[in-house]
């Protein structure tokens, strides 16, 4: 995103609409290779936006403009491709199908009013697609299905339809059915779309008879899910129902999120292009039927609920941020209320993402220009009304998830739920000269990608990027290198702890004479281990003033400082230290001397006793299909995991609760996906530190 130049003959002038009812925001969802990007190219060509369709393999498509997408031949980021059809502006939001980029999908769901699932007629419905369907259902997103790639040698429309109904539910019903070699018959309109360019004709009597059962099922499904009781009575009475009435009920049923039409499609032959355009513009809901997310003021106080009113208060959200080498920061924005205009001041507010490296901020900025994005191309428009999408440039404080509103009525939208990155990648600058460039590039990447988390571990001294998976990590590293930072990766280290495995005694003596005031402090301590998580206790049992009262706290301070450093290089925890004796000098004793003596006493006790290494243990919760349960449980055992229990979840899934050493989890995301064909997910959180088995102690050195 960012180029202002025309590519492949794309029109340079954008289209702005003034009525939310004339906008359709459709997010394309489906696995990699299902044909989402190719479908987008076909629709852009059919509506005159492009003179010819680009190719994924050649890297010439509108949506896959990122160098990483061209190299991998799959989408790695969200892209918008708008077109006009019969006066309706359709914003197609192409999203990656690979699990690593689910954050881009969720951003697309936030920007859209309906989801179009694209599945390949020869591939079936995999568990990852079923999971995406459930995710859309959870947020109440209206959904429809395109069965694409009908020209595939193994294409089986009927079989694919049956799989969709089994995976998504019985209310997945076709609006059109393939007929002949390259035609479709509309079950509502009873028209046949033949060839490409498409010739439209009325269906013959034999053709209508052939699809009568499918038509009856469709009409009954639409009427039932639209909850139009009067129309159901007319239908059951055998009354003829006009097409416009059925289409109106179809749109209602789809908008409710309970009915899901299916459309056959083939980009290569042109089958289904006109039917799909009709469905997108006539059967899909407009922004007026999509509730605006709840808003507050920046302090969290309630604000009046908004609607998709172009004349209402300005409320827009940054759904994606990119940094272009030519035009700088580019923010893709969904306007939910009001109208965004150029040459105006706006308020940019971001809260609630500090854990992802996005500090809270409230800043007024000036919007110079507004653009309609077509992939990487920015086409200037005079305004952007409620319900539409646009791009802003050089709004330097805007980050993904921020709210854009009017300075005199600043508001804040709660950010959408971000997936948790679970793959750690430790990076280092190849040369000292690359360190500044690395820092700059990372700040840009984190600003635009809320699924990327950056940690600087003060104990291991590593810079760790938490990514969504290997593909996501590859893209992040490629962007760092493209930005001029030479980086390398190294194994991720875990933060260890030390403790005493048993009681020990220590003697600390710090005596120095160098003329004038010297340094004199002696202390004797006893150390004993405490239960896990107990922390540190200091006990004073000195009698007779062997250590003057004013220096007792100095001994404790020196011991605490040594605990932070440890004796083997790791912080020491869960011990009780008792000060039992010592000596002082009336002139040479000091706070500093007794701090040093306390530190030396702890070191001496460690030399006299036995030190145990402790490793972090995480709680892990895994959700997976039942058929993979045995494999995953066996794998957890091999990682020294301890299963706490399992419980049945909905739809043939099981949830495993376990505790696993963090050292066994750096690549667990990748390996879990491999074991379960991408159908499992997991979360993790710190539980405690446990002793490292003696047989493995050497590997942690």
């Amino acid at each position: 995103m960012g180029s202002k130049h025309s590519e492949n003959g794309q029109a340079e002038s954008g289209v702005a609409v003034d009525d939310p009812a004339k906008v359709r925001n459709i997010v394309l969802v489906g696995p990699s290779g299902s044909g989402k990007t190719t479908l987008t190219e076909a629709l852009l060509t059919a509506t005159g936006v492009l003179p010819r369709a680009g190719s994924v393999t050649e890297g010439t498509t509108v949506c896959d403009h990122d160098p990483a997408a061209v190299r991998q031949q799959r989408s790695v980021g969200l892209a918008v491709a708008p077109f006009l059809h019969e006066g309706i502006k359709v914003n197609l939001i192409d999203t990656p199908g690979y699990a690593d980029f689910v954050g881009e999908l969720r951003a697309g769901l936030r920007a859209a009013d309906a989801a179009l699932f694209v599945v390949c007629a020869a591939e079936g419905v995999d568990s990852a697609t079923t999971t995406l369907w459930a995710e859309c259902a959870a947020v109440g997103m209206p959904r429809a299905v395109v069965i694409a790639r009908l020209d595939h040698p193994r294409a089986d429309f009927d079989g694919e339809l049956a799989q969709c109904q089994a995976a998504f539910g019985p209310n997945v019903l076709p609006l059109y059915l393939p007929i002949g070699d390259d035609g479709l018959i509309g079950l509502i309109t009873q028209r046949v779309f033949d060839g490409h360019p498409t010739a439209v004709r009325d269906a013959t009597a034999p053709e209508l008879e052939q699809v009568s059962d499918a038509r009856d099922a469709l009409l009954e499904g639409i009427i039932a899910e639209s909850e139009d009781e009067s129309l159901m009575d007319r239908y059951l009475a055998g009354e003829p129902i006009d097409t416009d009435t059925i289409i109106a009920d179809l749109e209602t049923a789809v908008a409710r999120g309970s009915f899901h039409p299916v459309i056959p499609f083939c980009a290569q032959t042109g089958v289904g292009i006109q039917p799909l355009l009709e469905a997108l513009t006539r059967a899909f809901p407009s922004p007026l039927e999509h509730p605006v997310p709840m808003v507050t003021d920046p302090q969290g106080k309630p604000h009046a609920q908004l609607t998709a009113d172009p004349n209402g208060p300005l409320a827009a959200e940054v759904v994606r941020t990119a940094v272009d080498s030519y035009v700088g920061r580019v923010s893709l924005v969904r306007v939910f209320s009001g109208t965004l205009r150029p040459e105006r001041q706006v308020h940019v507010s971001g809260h609630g993402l500090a854990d992802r490296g996005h500090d809270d901020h409230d800043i007024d900025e000036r919007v110079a220009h507004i653009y309609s994005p077509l992939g990487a191309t920015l086409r200037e428009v005079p305004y952007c009304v409620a319900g539409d999408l646009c791009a802003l440039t050089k709004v330097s404080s805007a980050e993904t998830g921020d709210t854009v509103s009017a300075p005199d009525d600043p508001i804040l939208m709660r950010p959408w739920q971000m997936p948790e990155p679970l793959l750690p990648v430790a990076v280092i600058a190849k040369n000292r000269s690359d360190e500044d460039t690395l820092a700059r590039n990372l700040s840009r990447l984190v600003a635009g990608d809320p699924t990327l988390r950056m940690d600087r571990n003060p104990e291991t001294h590593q810079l760790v990027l938490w990514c969504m998976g290997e593909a996501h990590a590859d893209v992040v590293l490629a962007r760092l290198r493209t930005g001029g930072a030479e980086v390398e990766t190294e194994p991720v280290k875990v933060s260890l702890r030390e403790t005493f495995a048993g009681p020990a005694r220590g003697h600390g003596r710090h005596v120095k004479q160098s003329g004038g005031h010297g340094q004199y402090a002696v202390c004797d301590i006893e150390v004993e281990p405490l239960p896990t998580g107990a922390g540190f206790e200091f006990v004073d049992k000195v009698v007779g003033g062997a250590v003057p009262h004013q220096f007792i706290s100095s001994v404790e301070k020196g011991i605490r400082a040594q605990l932070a450093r440890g004796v083997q290089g790791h912080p020491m925890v869960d011990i009780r230290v008792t000060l039992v004796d010592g000596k002082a000098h009336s002139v040479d004793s000091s706070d500093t001397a007794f701090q040093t003596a306390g530190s030396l006493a702890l070191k001496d006790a460690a030399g006299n006793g036995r030190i145990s290494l402790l490793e972090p243990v995480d709680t892990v919760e895994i959700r997976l299909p039942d058929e993979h349960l045995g494999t995953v449980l066996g794998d957890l055992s091999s990682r020294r995991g301890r299963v706490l229990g399992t419980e049945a979840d909905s739809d043939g899934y099981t949830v495993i609760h376990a505790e696993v050493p963090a050292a066994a989890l750096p690549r667990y995301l990748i390996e879990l996906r491999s074991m379960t064909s991408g159908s499992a997910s997991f979360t993790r959180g710190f539980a405690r530190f446990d002793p490292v088995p003696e047989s493995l102690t050497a590997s942690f050195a």
Side-chain angles (χ1 to χ4, degrees):
M1 183 184 294
S3 170
K4 297 184 183 179
H5 302 289
S6 173
E7 299 176 10
N8 295 336
Q10 297 163 3
E12 292 190 19
S13 59
V15 176
V17 297
D18 53 13
D19 183 358
K22 296 180 179 179
V23 177
R24 303 290 183 271
N25 296 309
I26 314 296
V27 59
L28 301 181
V29 181
S32 291
S34 60
K36 301 185 299 296
T37 302
T38 303
L39 178 148
T40 301
E41 291 291 311
L43 293 180
L44 292 176
T45 305
T47 53
V49 178
L50 299 179
R52 57 184 176 82
S55 166
V56 172
T57 56
E58 295 175 5
T60 56
T61 63
V62 166
C63 292
D64 287 351
H65 53 80
D66 190 293
V70 175
R71 184 179 68 255
Q72 297 182 16
Q73 295 191 7
R74 64 182 174 195
S75 300
V76 299
L78 177 154
V80 177
F83 61 82
L84 280 176
H85 181 67
E86 296 184 352
I88 301 295
K89 181 181 181 182
V90 178
N91 290 313
L92 285 182
I93 306 168
D94 189 15
T95 63
Y98 200 64
D100 284 19
F101 306 105
V102 68
E104 299 284 329
L105 167 64
R106 292 190 181 178
L109 293 177
R110 182 71 160 208
D113 303 306
L116 187 64
F117 273 71
V118 182
V119 296
C120 175
E123 298 295 336
V125 179
D126 60 15
S127 55
T129 304
T130 306
T131 300
L132 292 177
W133 183 274
E135 187 161 333
C136 292
V139 298
M141 178 67 69
R143 284 145 286 150
V145 178
V146 163
I147 297 180
R149 301 184 65 183
L150 296 178
D151 60 328
H152 195 285
R154 294 186 288 104
D156 178 6
F157 176 82
D158 293 335
E160 189 70 19
L161 176 61
Q163 289 199 43
C164 289
Q165 291 171 337
F168 305 149
N171 286 330
V172 175
L173 294 170
L175 287 182
Y176 301 84
L177 287 175
I179 190 169
D181 293 332
D182 57 354
L184 297 180
I185 182 170
L187 300 184
I188 294 178
T189 62
Q190 301 185 80
R191 294 182 300 170
V192 174
F193 297 79
D194 274 328
H196 188 66
T198 304
V200 183
R201 61 175 175 82
D202 291 334
T204 64
E207 290 170 337
L208 292 177
E209 179 65 26
Q210 182 180 343
V211 300
S212 61
D213 290 344
R215 184 174 193 271
D216 289 343
L218 174 66
L219 296 182
E220 291 171 10
I222 291 172
I223 296 171
E225 295 305 325
S226 66
E227 299 183 3
D228 191 338
E229 295 181 3
S230 62
L231 188 60
M232 178 63 78
D233 293 339
R234 290 171 54 194
Y235 173 76
L236 293 176
E239 290 184 30
I241 303 172
D242 63 277
T243 299
D244 288 342
T245 300
I246 287 293
I247 290 176
D249 269 27
L250 170 64
E251 195 274 337
T252 300
V254 172
R256 287 175 180 270
S258 58
F259 182 82
H260 317 292
V262 179
I263 303 162
F265 183 85
C266 180
Q268 301 302 321
T269 64
V271 169
I273 289 180
Q274 287 303 318
L276 182 55
L277 288 170
E278 283 193 5
L280 293 176
T281 53
R282 301 187 67 186
F284 277 62
S286 75
L288 296 173
E289 298 166 88
H290 189 166
V292 175
M294 297 293 293
V295 297
T296 66
D297 69 9
Q299 288 72 44
K301 297 179 181 178
H303 188 284
Q305 181 60 31
L306 303 177
T307 61
D309 179 5
N311 298 314
L314 177 63
E317 189 169 33
V318 179
V319 295
R320 190 171 192 267
T321 306
V323 179
D324 185 86
S325 56
Y326 297 103
V327 299
R329 185 169 296 194
V330 182
S331 302
L332 177 64
V333 172
R334 161 76 190 250
V335 180
F336 285 98
S337 173
T339 300
L340 193 58
R341 300 183 185 278
E343 308 298 336
R344 304 286 177 89
Q345 288 285 114
V346 296
H347 183 79
V348 180
S349 185
H351 293 251
L353 290 175
D355 61 327
R356 300 295 179 91
H358 301 255
D359 293 335
D360 292 352
H361 52 275
D362 288 278
I363 302 173
D364 287 348
E365 294 211 38
R366 180 173 173 272
V367 173
H369 301 279
I370 298 175
Y371 301 94
S372 174
L374 176 63
T377 302
L378 301 180
R379 305 170 301 169
E380 193 164 358
V381 291
Y383 52 81
C384 183
V385 302
D388 205 355
L389 302 177
C390 65
L392 308 179
T393 59
K394 300 179 182 179
V395 182
S396 59
S397 64
E399 299 180 350
T400 301
D402 283 2
T403 304
V404 178
S405 57
D408 58 352
D409 186 16
I411 60 176
L412 180 68
M413 290 184 179
R414 182 180 299 173
W416 62 92
Q417 185 179 3
M418 304 291 183
E420 187 68 23
L422 293 168
L423 178 68
V425 179
V427 298
I428 53 173
K430 190 173 182 178
N431 303 299
R432 181 173 292 274
S433 59
D434 293 314
E435 291 179 355
D436 290 341
T437 305
L438 174 61
R440 286 196 304 271
N441 287 354
L442 277 175
S443 65
R444 294 172 182 172
L445 286 178
V446 172
D449 187 354
T451 64
L452 177 67
R453 192 176 78 233
M454 180 175 64
D455 285 343
R456 294 186 183 273
N457 192 316
E459 296 176 19
T460 64
H461 307 292
Q462 285 188 310
L463 174 60
V464 179
L465 304 179
W466 288 85
C467 304
M468 297 298 299
E470 272 191 314
H472 185 211
D474 288 345
V475 170
V476 169
L477 293 174
R479 288 173 177 166
L480 287 175
R481 290 164 180 149
T482 300
E486 287 296 322
V487 295
E488 297 177 339
T489 62
E490 61 180 357
V492 177
K493 303 173 185 176
V494 296
S495 300
L496 301 177
R497 297 289 185 269
E498 303 170 7
T499 193
F500 277 73
R505 298 179 64 89
H507 176 73
R509 184 176 186 274
H510 181 62
V511 178
K512 287 188 177 182
Q513 294 294 335
S514 57
H517 284 301
Q519 298 182 45
Y520 188 97
V522 178
C523 62
D524 292 288
I525 63 172
E526 294 177 351
V527 182
E528 56 186 312
L530 293 177
T532 300
F536 169 66
E537 292 181 15
F538 180 79
V539 180
D540 171 21
K541 286 191 177 181
V542 174
V543 295
V547 176
H549 179 74
Q550 69 267 30
F551 296 132
I552 299 294
S553 61
S554 302
V555 176
E556 180 181 356
K557 192 182 299 182
I559 291 172
R560 286 186 179 274
Q562 190 61 50
L563 287 176
R565 295 189 294 269
V567 293
Q568 296 180 4
H570 312 292
M572 184 171 285
V573 296
D574 301 336
I575 61 170
R576 178 187 291 122
V577 175
T578 303
L579 178 62
V580 295
D581 200 1
K583 292 181 181 179
H585 189 277
S586 59
V587 176
D588 293 340
S589 290
S590 65
D591 171 71
T592 301
F594 271 100
Q595 284 190 46
T596 304
S599 173
L600 292 172
L602 186 65
K603 287 183 179 180
D604 186 58
N608 296 331
R610 187 164 60 89
I611 299 300
S612 174
L613 274 183
L614 304 177
E615 62 176 335
V617 174
D618 285 359
T619 56
V620 175
E621 186 175 292
I622 307 165
R623 184 177 184 271
L624 74 165
D626 293 342
E627 62 263 27
H628 300 297
L629 182 59
T631 302
V632 172
L633 288 174
D635 179 74
L636 286 174
S637 177
S638 71
R639 296 174 188 272
R640 299 186 286 126
R642 184 166 67 95
V643 176
L644 304 179
T646 62
E647 59 181 323
D649 200 9
S650 58
D651 302 324
Y653 276 72
T654 294
V655 176
I656 301 172
H657 301 277
E659 292 180 344
V660 186
L665 291 176
R667 294 183 59 82
Y668 187 61
L669 175 68
I670 299 166
E671 288 148 1
L672 179 64
R673 286 177 180 171
S674 176
M675 286 184 285
T676 63
S677 302
S679 60
S681 61
F682 84 104
T683 59
R684 61 185 287 187
F686 174 74
R688 63 183 179 280
F689 283 91
D690 275 354
V692 175
E694 290 188 9
S695 60
L696 298 177
T697 301
S699 64
F700 285 90

